[in-house]
Amino acid sequence: MSKININMAERVRNLPPYLFATIDRMKREALSKGVDLIDLSIGDPDIPTPKNIVNRMKEAAQNPQNHRYPSYEGLLSFRIAIADWYKKRFNVILNPEIEVLSLIGSKEGICHIPLAFVNPGDTVLVPSPCYPVYPIGTLFAGGNSYFLPLTKENNFLPDLKSIPDDIAKRSRLLFINYPNNPTSAVADRNFYEEVIEFALRHNIIVCHDAAYSEIYYDDYRPMSFLETPGAKDVGIEFHSLSKTYNMTGWRIGFAVGNQKVIQGLGKIKTNLDSGIFQAIQEAGIEALRSPESVTDNIRKVYQKRRDRLVKGLRDKGLDLDPPLATFYLWIRVPKGYSSSEFTTLLLKKTGILTTPGNGFGEAGEGYIRMALTVNIDRVEETLKRITGLRW
Ligand SMILES: *Cc1c(COP(=O)(O)O)cnc(C)c1O
């Protein structure tokens, strides 16, 4: 109850309808009926954070120096660890003083970057389907998203040539994300070269979201956008410790690349937040300096689940490509179903919860997403239940 009129600001009222609301309701219903739900809808690792990282956090939490406000741009030692990791992993040289910024999870940076570079009425180029924070951050800054459909015919890469000149002229930012959530597609050097050329031609800042760069399979190894010559002239890359080290709850990530873009995002942040708990940054240093075996073990777990689930679903006649990276399967829905209809069928008939592709944008219609974030017994159980299903 309130005695004044409490009206939401336009930016809140203009938020797109929450497409997962129906699914959330069905999920609650199923749970209240005691259904043994298998939740493949969330991109949140079920594996605990590696021990070396947790132990470093325990020690760091006891140091009173870490109890005070952290520095805005992040501990220099954390930024040096990021630069060292980039050199080792991608052979990209970064200046930790001016080309690296710590973030309270990459979502934070992604949502805030339009505030630094987008004026009301400006356009931002956003893939569809996509991580919903790109269009939401754009909306909060008063910008308009122009959606670039990711289709199977284009290997789920945006067709930059299809963007009308007048749209490109009004665009300030381009978001891209490979390995991609939700399609699990990957990008190569040719694509990144095309992106750089496009950005130079139209004066557009490129924001590459590389949250899944370390979740890869077989002999494939994703590259960094910044490995491409000229990338640093046009943009930045967002990274997260969340998926790489099973640290979604810790809230730590970073942005690297073009000094001016980093500076702009930093300016928003100094006025908005006060950095990351230093003990978490110390744990972040430990994470980035972990031996390769730490991430290898994580990848092995996902690989086993991926191999089993992809094979089982294909045997059942579902149409999907085995992902080279990310922990998602992007599955075509059978003929005659929409994304929502097939999601509903799976939930009602088998208790398996997936995400309808159109929840990530219109161009995601015709697909569902499954996350490999349940253990192998639940993967087997998933296949067992689907085997009994007809569509
Ligand atoms: C999970 C995810 C992020 C955000 O991760 P943080 O936990 O905020 O660091 C960013 N982009 C994509 C595509 C993601 O799936």
Side-chain angles (χ1 to χ4, degrees):
M1 277 304 211
S2 40
K3 298 198 168 167
I4 55 168
N5 284 332
I6 297 184
N7 296 317
M8 294 290 176
E10 261 168 45
R11 75 179 63 80
V12 178
R13 276 184 283 152
N14 288 346
L15 283 170
Y18 181 58
L19 275 155
F20 303 124
T22 327
I23 304 295
D24 281 355
R25 204 192 57 238
M26 286 193 298
K27 177 182 172 178
R28 280 196 304 276
E29 257 172 44
L31 284 172
S32 71
K33 279 192 219 143
V35 173
D36 174 24
L37 201 76
I38 302 178
D39 192 348
L40 305 179
S41 73
I42 32 175
D44 187 357
D46 58 312
I47 317 166
T49 305
K51 281 227 163 56
N52 61 315
I53 302 170
V54 177
N55 288 339
R56 177 72 175 268
M57 173 71 184
K58 280 187 191 165
E59 279 168 37
Q62 285 171 339
N63 179 355
Q65 269 179 9
N66 288 339
H67 298 169
R68 312 192 64 194
Y69 281 123
S71 71
Y72 286 115
E73 62 280 7
L75 283 173
L76 183 60
S77 52
F78 178 50
R79 287 178 288 137
I80 289 172
I82 291 164
D84 289 349
W85 182 77
Y86 246 78
K87 173 75 181 73
K88 189 168 128 212
R89 169 68 175 88
F90 300 116
N91 203 25
V92 168
I93 309 283
L94 295 168
N95 181 339
E97 306 254 13
I98 50 177
E99 294 179 323
V100 180
L101 181 68
S102 67
L103 298 172
I104 311 170
S106 59
K107 180 178 185 178
E108 182 260 305
I110 291 166
C111 199
H112 286 145
I113 194 148
L115 290 179
F117 298 105
V118 175
N119 285 312
D122 284 348
T123 298
V124 175
L125 302 171
V126 175
S128 168
C130 74
Y131 183 59
V133 185
Y134 315 143
I136 301 287
T138 300
L139 177 80
F140 283 171
N144 305 311
S145 294
Y146 181 86
F147 289 103
L148 311 173
L150 307 182
T151 63
K152 191 172 165 76
E153 299 75 65
N154 288 331
N155 299 315
F156 302 104
L157 299 169
D159 179 7
L160 301 176
K161 288 186 284 296
S162 75
I163 301 168
D165 265 351
D166 62 316
I167 297 288
K169 205 185 271 171
R170 276 186 273 137
S171 298
R172 305 296 313 273
L173 300 180
L174 162 67
F175 280 106
I176 49 173
N177 163 222
Y178 294 97
N180 184 259
N181 176 12
T183 68
S184 79
V186 295
D188 61 12
R189 188 175 297 272
N190 287 342
F191 172 70
Y192 291 136
E193 283 172 358
E194 211 186 298
V195 166
I196 292 167
E197 200 211 321
F198 174 80
L200 286 171
R201 186 152 21 101
H202 297 288
N203 211 48
I204 294 172
I205 297 168
V206 178
C207 299
H208 181 237
D209 179 354
Y212 294 94
S213 73
E214 305 315 301
I215 311 290
Y216 53 80
Y217 307 106
D218 306 328
D219 297 326
Y220 184 76
R221 252 187 155 203
M223 63 180 283
S224 160
F225 171 60
L226 299 184
E227 282 178 59
T228 325
K232 228 196 253 179
D233 297 327
V234 299
I236 62 168
E237 189 155 75
F238 288 100
H239 268 274
S240 171
L241 303 196
S242 290
K243 315 290 162 60
T244 308
Y245 302 103
N246 306 321
M247 292 176 76
T248 45
W250 297 61
R251 311 314 303 136
I252 182 164
F254 53 92
V256 294
N258 184 279
Q259 180 192 339
K260 267 191 136 163
V261 179
I262 292 291
Q263 206 175 42
L265 178 56
K267 194 146 199 170
I268 296 292
K269 283 174 58 57
T270 46
N271 286 282
L272 198 98
D273 67 60
S274 301
I276 309 168
F277 182 27
Q278 283 189 3
I280 294 181
Q281 295 189 58
E282 285 198 26
I285 294 170
E286 175 69 30
L288 292 168
R289 297 203 189 283
S290 297
E292 190 74 11
S293 59
V294 166
T295 42
D296 270 345
N297 287 338
I298 293 169
R299 283 186 286 268
K300 267 187 206 136
V301 172
Y302 291 128
Q303 171 111 36
K304 198 168 159 205
R305 296 172 181 176
R306 179 201 76 148
D307 292 350
R308 186 68 194 98
L309 198 53
V310 167
K311 175 161 191 322
L313 293 174
R314 284 177 144 187
D315 286 350
K316 178 68 188 161
L318 285 169
D319 178 8
L320 74 155
D321 293 322
L324 290 174
T326 78
F327 46 56
Y328 300 114
L329 305 185
W330 188 240
I331 305 162
R332 193 114 187 93
V333 299
K335 270 210 170 55
Y337 287 90
S338 67
S339 294
S340 307
E341 285 165 354
F342 196 60
T343 303
T344 307
L345 178 85
L346 283 174
L347 181 60
K348 293 232 156 122
K349 295 276 163 77
T350 66
I352 297 164
L353 187 63
T354 58
T355 317
N358 60 325
F360 301 100
E362 255 173 56
E365 178 54 51
Y367 291 86
I368 58 163
R369 190 193 74 176
M370 284 188 185
L372 301 168
T373 48
V374 297
N375 69 35
I376 195 75
D377 293 342
R378 297 302 269 174
V379 168
E380 293 296 345
E381 175 65 19
T382 299
L383 290 171
K384 213 168 98 195
R385 290 189 196 175
I386 287 184
T387 299
L389 185 69
R390 282 191 210 306
W391 53 73

